[in-house]
Amino acid sequence: VNGLQARTFGVWTLLSSVIRCLCAIDIRNRTLYYLTLFTFFLALVHFLSEVFIYHTAALTIGVMAPLMVASFSIMGMLIGLQYLEVEALSQNKKKN
């Protein structure tokens, strides 16, 4: 790993964390919710590809932790998406 790769990965991690914090603040913003969900999918695909496709990372606790966080977060956000949909429908009924 050279300095450029380390800085790029650092900026990517910072950007993902900012998006996730903004979603936590405004959880009802559907666009932000989907964007946050996409960041978790992107992280999961990235770490899985490093382990199983490129073989540049070993399946150690340092790699397992982000895989578990991304997996559980995706599951939680997909469950939460159902509630977001129900809330949107109930708000539409109140308007009519």
Side-chain angles (χ1 to χ4, degrees), residues 17-86:
S17 66
V18 167
I19 291 171
R20 292 167 188 171
C21 287
L22 290 173
C23 183
I25 292 169
D26 187 12
I27 194 81
R28 289 178 177 85
N29 185 333
R30 296 180 68 149
T31 304
L32 196 53
Y33 196 90
Y34 284 120
L35 187 62
T36 303
L37 184 58
F38 178 72
T39 65
F40 285 115
F41 274 117
L42 190 61
L44 184 66
V45 168
H46 168 72
F47 283 102
L48 286 174
S49 68
E50 292 298 329
V51 171
F52 295 111
I53 296 173
Y54 301 113
H55 305 289
T56 54
L59 206 54
T60 61
I61 190 69
V63 173
M64 290 293 292
L67 287 174
M68 290 173 49
V69 168
S71 299
F72 291 137
S73 298
I74 289 169
M75 288 189 308
M77 288 193 76
L78 288 175
I79 291 169
L81 187 59
Q82 297 173 5
Y83 294 103
L84 194 62
E85 298 288 334
V86 168

